[in-house]
Amino acid sequence: MSHLKPRSPQFSRREFLAASSASVAMLGMAGTSLAAQPIQRTGKPYMKLSLAAYSFNRYLPRNWPTPRDSESSMELTDFIDFCAEMNLDGTELTSYYFPEKVTQEYLMAIKAQTFRLGLDISGTAIGNDFCLPEGPARDAQLEMTRHWIDYSATMGAPVIRIFAGKIPKGDTEEAALERCTAGINESVAYAAKKGVVLALENHGGITSTPEQLLSIVSNVDDSPFFGVNFDSGNFHTADPYGDLEKIAAYAVNAQVKVAINPNNKGKKPADFKRIISILKQANYRGYVVLEYEEKDDPKVEIPKYLDELRELIA
């Protein structure tokens, strides 16, 4: 990906709407475009397997962004051990399950454990909201993002899954999109200094459709430290697979769920073969991260899905 001269993250709503209405194809044709571009890769598609700690959400203590009152039967270190038992290449250490106070000593212990077990830390994730209006709450979201960029750099985690956020009550989508883009641009500029990539996830709200997601992407400054987190289960549209094809070219991280929910009319088993084919067609090189969210015991179900994915990416 070429690195072009960045523009200021502050721009008018009129400029934002004008840019959002332009197609992604036209942006790609413009040789001097400042917008984020599809990921350019050499070589054939290549994928490694990881597992998201969110798969054990019911068992892990949740401390971020706010503590959850519930008993836990696992710690993040136990999850890392499980990933090693599954012979995975990586482990995604979702931020929610870190201690409420993250210390340098804790980060170093995690880094040492993963190294000893032969695991990459494939990434982490934060539950940020960049749609908030100017004020203390928004400042806190940006500060939290900077903290996790620092933590990721310290651990050697190359990517953070980020969210866009949700439209505040009484606000407009256009205003929320503008603030979201400004927040991403500010955060990517900081992440670039630390060598951490921010991956915007299709995660409902103002990223419920590929058009919404790409309208944000088309206004993010072109940077090798920004891309999309391809989540196979989060488009609840009429054609989830077709919509995943639209965003695959921008993927810097790929997250696979075991179910899809077309038109929000009920879950159906995901077609792993089709999902991996979409990634291969986009020449994706990187981690495929299983995120198990179903009601059955993850310790029993996850090994089955990992075996299927392992065969498909070989």
Side-chain angles (χ1 to χ4, degrees):
M1 181 188 298
S2 61
H3 185 69
L4 303 177
K5 182 179 179 182
R7 65 185 178 200
S8 168
Q10 302 299 323
F11 45 92
S12 71
R13 185 171 301 175
R14 179 178 297 177
E15 292 170 329
F16 176 84
L17 293 174
S20 296
S21 64
S23 69
V24 173
M26 289 298 293
L27 285 167
M29 291 170 58
T32 58
S33 172
L34 297 177
Q37 301 295 305
I39 310 302
Q40 301 298 316
R41 297 183 173 96
T42 57
K44 297 179 180 179
Y46 177 74
M47 301 176 208
K48 297 178 286 186
L49 271 183
S50 184
L51 179 66
Y54 193 83
S55 303
F56 287 87
N57 180 58
R58 74 188 77 171
Y59 300 131
L60 290 164
R62 182 163 181 154
N63 295 305
W64 286 83
T66 55
R68 176 181 63 189
D69 292 329
S70 64
E71 293 186 5
S72 57
S73 59
M74 291 178 68
E75 296 291 339
L76 198 57
T77 51
D78 299 317
F79 169 71
I80 294 170
D81 285 341
F82 179 83
C83 289
E85 291 168 8
M86 294 296 102
N87 288 321
L88 291 169
D89 303 297
T91 177
E92 187 194 89
L93 304 182
T94 319
S95 67
Y96 310 155
Y97 315 114
F98 280 70
E100 186 176 358
K101 183 178 180 181
V102 181
T103 65
Q104 176 76 6
E105 290 74 20
Y106 184 83
L107 296 175
M108 292 300 93
I110 292 292
K111 189 171 185 178
Q113 180 188 7
T114 53
F115 177 74
R116 288 196 309 271
L117 294 175
L119 292 166
D120 292 338
I121 301 175
S122 64
T124 186
I126 57 175
N128 65 289
D129 186 343
F130 287 159
C131 292
L132 294 173
E134 297 294 334
R138 177 181 178 82
D139 293 342
Q141 292 292 303
L142 292 166
E143 182 180 28
M144 178 191 71
T145 303
R146 290 192 295 272
H147 284 323
W148 279 98
I149 290 169
D150 291 340
Y151 300 153
S152 297
T154 299
M155 289 187 295
V159 64
I160 303 175
R161 293 192 286 116
I162 64 170
F163 298 157
K166 57 186 178 181
I167 303 171
K169 186 176 180 180
D171 209 341
T172 65
E173 181 170 340
E174 290 79 8
L177 284 166
E178 183 175 351
R179 291 194 298 267
C180 172
T181 305
I184 293 174
N185 277 328
E186 180 179 330
S187 299
V188 169
Y190 184 81
K193 297 176 182 178
K194 304 291 182 172
V196 176
V197 176
L198 301 186
L200 177 63
E201 181 173 323
N202 53 311
H203 191 79
I206 61 171
T207 57
S208 296
T209 68
E211 290 76 22
Q212 288 175 306
L213 179 73
L214 293 176
S215 74
I216 297 172
V217 171
S218 69
N219 283 281
V220 174
D221 297 336
D222 186 25
S223 170
F225 294 95
F226 174 75
V228 163
N229 179 65
F230 170 108
D231 188 307
S232 70
N234 279 358
F235 280 142
H236 301 166
T237 53
D239 182 14
Y241 296 110
D243 288 339
L244 287 169
E245 289 177 354
K246 297 175 183 178
I247 70 170
Y250 294 86
V252 291
N253 195 63
Q255 198 174 359
V256 175
K257 290 186 170 74
V258 305
I260 61 169
N261 188 356
N263 286 321
N264 269 322
K265 292 185 176 180
K267 288 186 175 183
K268 298 180 179 181
D271 185 341
F272 279 4
K273 185 176 181 180
R274 188 169 179 184
I275 292 166
I276 297 303
S277 177
I278 290 170
L279 290 169
K280 287 182 177 180
Q281 289 171 10
N283 201 36
Y284 177 73
R285 293 178 63 87
Y287 269 101
V288 171
V289 185
L290 176 66
E291 186 176 53
Y292 183 78
E293 295 183 336
E294 307 310 306
K295 63 181 180 179
D296 295 322
D297 187 349
K299 292 181 180 179
V300 175
E301 299 300 317
I302 283 172
K304 305 173 189 177
Y305 292 113
L306 289 176
D307 286 344
E308 185 178 353
L309 286 169
R310 191 173 277 115
E311 183 176 343
L312 289 169
I313 69 173

